[in-house]
Amino acid sequence: MIMMIMPPLVSRLILLPCCLLSLFLAGAANADGQKIDSLRRAAYTNPEGSHQSLSAWEDILRLDPRSLEAHVMLGWTLMSTPPHVERGIRLLEDSFDPDKVQPVIDTSLPQTYMIAATIGRYRNEKREYGLARKFTQMALEMSARHGTNNSPSGDVCIQMQLGSTFDYIPESTEAATDAIDSLMAHSKQLLRSTEGNSNLNNWSVNDDVVSTFPGGAPDPYV
């Protein structure tokens, strides 16, 4: 008789108010939030690049895989820490992807311009030209605000990189077309920036500075 009156255990659990389940989940999330706050303090208190700092960012990323802060801070450090360079670059790339982080990185910040330019240069050196153009183009668009010459068309050095980046072994016909179109468009933009100015006054590259670069000095045989 008692068994008929008392609902089974599973039924009783189902009858628990939904608010209790919400409180349980909120408590778990709050506990994770407190742990993340503690880890953030450890990450910033310890020297940048130290084992303690890196471990803290790794733990934050495990607790919150979509943490923009962890992606950027860990990625920037690993990018200059062989043999973890590739992973660092990928974390930085993911910081631009809304499917990977929330929120995405703020493109109004000058640091973001530097990150995009660094990714583009790295991918170009790895001959991954599609990714190289993608992030270098981002850097060019941001450089109008954050670049050294503040040109409306973007930083000349970034423009030169895009104007000389070519995919010699494209993966498809479309990739080959994109490579050619990008090369031509940015080469023309470079030429337009000096058109009608015989003194090249708007050419932002300082020849004295360039001459100090390896291969940048005038060739005495030419």
Side-chain angles (χ1 to χ4, degrees):
M1 186 67 177
I2 295 176
M3 291 298 295
M4 294 177 64
I5 297 173
M6 293 290 293
L9 178 61
V10 174
S11 298
R12 279 184 284 160
L13 288 175
I14 292 173
L15 293 175
L16 283 173
C18 292
C19 62
L20 293 181
L21 180 60
S22 299
L23 287 173
F24 173 78
L25 294 175
N30 190 44
D32 281 349
Q34 291 176 352
K35 189 170 184 179
I36 288 173
D37 287 342
S38 176
L39 288 167
R40 287 180 73 251
R41 285 194 294 272
Y44 285 116
T45 302
N46 287 287
E48 183 178 343
S50 66
H51 173 72
Q52 294 88 344
S53 179
L54 288 174
S55 295
W57 287 122
E58 292 280 13
D59 289 342
I60 291 172
L61 201 58
R62 277 191 287 270
L63 288 169
D64 183 9
R66 291 171 64 82
S67 168
L68 170 63
E69 186 180 23
H71 273 77
V72 173
M73 298 302 293
L74 185 59
W76 190 257
T77 302
L78 293 180
M79 180 194 69
S80 56
T81 312
H84 307 294
V85 178
E86 177 67 25
R87 181 168 177 244
I89 289 290
R90 288 189 179 185
L91 285 169
L92 293 174
E93 288 173 340
D94 287 348
S95 70
F96 292 83
D97 187 348
D99 292 330
K100 301 292 181 64
V101 298
Q102 185 62 39
V104 295
I105 195 166
D106 186 354
T107 57
S108 69
L109 300 175
Q111 292 89 337
T112 308
Y113 158 63
M114 293 174 59
I115 289 172
T118 301
I119 295 171
R121 183 62 179 267
Y122 174 83
R123 290 302 180 196
N124 190 52
E125 291 175 355
K126 298 285 285 185
R127 299 187 178 183
E128 297 170 352
Y129 297 112
L131 283 172
R133 283 197 305 275
K134 173 185 174 180
F135 284 97
T136 307
Q137 181 65 45
M138 287 184 188
L140 180 66
E141 292 166 1
M142 287 183 272
S143 71
R145 296 192 302 272
H146 307 305
T148 55
N149 63 343
N150 295 318
S151 167
S153 59
D155 189 89
V156 173
C157 291
I158 299 293
Q159 194 79 257
M160 288 178 69
Q161 186 174 333
L162 284 165
S164 59
T165 297
F166 185 69
D167 191 348
Y168 293 95
I169 311 177
E171 296 180 353
S172 64
T173 304
E174 291 78 10
T177 302
D178 288 344
I180 294 171
D181 289 346
S182 176
L183 184 71
M184 295 298 293
H186 293 291
S187 296
K188 288 177 180 179
Q189 181 61 45
L190 280 169
L191 292 173
R192 280 197 298 270
S193 69
T194 59
E195 193 173 25
N197 189 345
S198 59
N199 294 322
L200 302 181
N201 289 330
N202 60 342
W203 184 257
S204 65
V205 179
N206 186 308
D207 290 338
D208 292 334
V209 175
V210 171
S211 67
T212 66
F213 296 167
D219 190 337
Y221 298 101
V222 176

